[in-house]
Amino acid sequence: MLPAEVFDRARTILGVLRLCWRASPRMSVLAPLLTIFEGIAPAVYLVIGKRIIDALVAAVDGGSRSLWDGALGGYLLAALGVQTVLAVTREMRWLVEQLFQTRLIGYLQQEVIGKAMSLDASCFESPRFYDRLQRARKEVNFRPYAVLSSLMSVSQQMTTMLACFAILTSYSVWVVPAALLVMLPPLVLQARFGRTRWSLLYHRSAEERKMHYIKSLTTDNPGVREIRIFGLQSYLLDLWKSLFRRFYSQEKDVTTRYAWAMTVT
């Protein structure tokens, strides 16, 4: 990835984070905290699991007849406590994410409407501007939160990975390099696939607007009679099918190449 692309991606992430903060500062802090805590949980399980095994071996060697003798009972209770806290955390995170998504979408839709109302009517006559406006109108419902969700998912995975690496390094210093060597190719492929798919969707605005217009003409009441009078049913349907086949071919090509690359790695 080129430095310019890294800079553009970092700028996009920072822009999304600023929008999230404006939409809800409280949830912008609470959601990452819950994500990080959930990411630490597997490492905690790893530590407790090792202690349980060690205590179990010690109890068997010592001839203990009860699992609750010595430290084993405490470790089992600790594992149960972590499981309970993690279950509560997951439910809280789901609740926060649902509310945060609704809050963010509402805020962004309000911003798009306000911006459109503040512009001169002549701006809407520009195809380039109209494409950008339609892209913004459609993508505010999923794009910013998708970036935030991906960022939180990566943060959770990185937290889990670093915590587990910190524990496993105490047993062998070669664990981290070996794990990174295995994980690096899929990460690179995912980054390339995400960039390619984003570019594909970005340049579809005009064609998608055309498909939406055809669908509106053929299904809404005002245009149905005129279309039948001039005999345009087959022409419009064939045009919609042609656009859809083009979209499907592009999507199939990108997804197939990604699937084969992931299979090979």
Side-chain angles (χ1 to χ4, degrees):
M1 188 180 297
L2 299 176
E5 295 177 348
V6 174
F7 178 76
D8 290 339
R9 184 159 299 185
R11 185 173 57 183
T12 300
I13 293 175
L14 290 176
V16 170
L17 293 178
R18 282 196 296 267
L19 292 174
C20 294
W21 180 262
R22 293 173 187 170
S24 178
R26 182 181 301 176
M27 293 184 181
S28 298
V29 175
L30 185 58
L33 288 178
L34 294 174
T35 300
I36 292 174
F37 180 82
E38 192 171 343
I40 297 175
V44 177
Y45 273 129
L46 187 63
V47 174
I48 295 178
K50 179 184 180 303
R51 297 300 178 91
I52 290 176
I53 294 175
D54 292 342
L56 183 61
V57 172
V60 172
D61 292 341
S64 176
R65 297 182 179 181
S66 175
L67 293 177
W68 301 102
D69 291 345
L72 182 58
Y75 292 138
L76 291 174
L77 290 176
L80 180 61
V82 172
Q83 176 63 34
T84 302
V85 173
L86 182 59
V88 175
T89 302
R90 285 174 178 169
E91 294 300 323
M92 290 181 59
R93 180 185 172 187
W94 178 85
L95 175 62
V96 170
E97 287 181 351
Q98 295 300 312
L99 296 176
F100 197 10
Q101 183 177 10
T102 304
R103 187 77 172 267
L104 180 61
I105 291 175
Y107 170 77
L108 294 176
Q109 289 177 343
Q110 176 183 334
E111 291 293 307
V112 171
I113 294 173
K115 183 65 176 179
M117 294 178 64
S118 66
L119 296 173
D120 189 81
S122 61
C123 295
F124 291 83
E125 298 177 2
S126 170
R128 183 178 180 183
F129 168 80
Y130 195 71
D131 284 344
R132 293 178 63 185
L133 179 61
Q134 294 303 309
R135 189 182 301 121
R137 182 182 63 83
K138 291 185 299 183
E139 292 188 355
V140 294
N141 293 326
F142 67 93
R143 182 71 63 186
Y145 191 79
V147 174
L148 179 63
S149 180
S150 298
L151 186 61
M152 289 193 297
S153 177
V154 170
S155 300
Q156 179 182 347
Q157 294 173 7
M158 289 295 295
T159 302
T160 302
M161 183 181 66
L162 293 175
C164 291
F165 281 174
I167 296 172
L168 295 175
T169 303
S170 60
Y171 299 100
S172 175
V173 295
W174 295 104
V175 171
V176 176
L180 291 176
L181 187 62
V182 173
M183 296 171 57
L184 189 58
L187 290 177
V188 174
L189 287 174
Q190 289 178 6
R192 293 187 59 184
F193 172 74
R195 184 172 68 252
T196 303
R197 197 168 189 280
W198 177 85
S199 178
L200 184 65
L201 294 175
Y202 182 83
H203 294 91
R204 281 183 180 176
S205 296
E207 287 78 8
E208 285 183 343
R209 181 156 51 87
K210 186 182 295 185
M211 290 181 67
H212 180 72
Y213 181 65
I214 294 172
K215 185 173 64 175
S216 299
L217 284 177
T218 54
T219 57
D220 292 345
N221 186 44
V224 171
R225 294 183 179 181
E226 287 79 1
I227 291 174
R228 293 188 178 184
I229 290 174
F230 292 100
L232 298 175
Q233 302 96 312
S234 298
Y235 170 76
L236 293 175
L237 180 60
D238 291 340
L239 181 58
W240 191 93
K241 288 181 178 179
S242 175
L243 292 171
F244 175 77
R245 283 194 294 267
R246 185 190 308 170
F247 287 172
Y248 179 76
S249 177
Q250 295 172 346
E251 189 74 24
K252 180 181 178 181
D253 179 63
V254 173
T255 306
T256 302
R257 286 191 287 110
Y258 172 73
W260 275 110
M262 289 296 292
T263 302
V264 172
T265 56

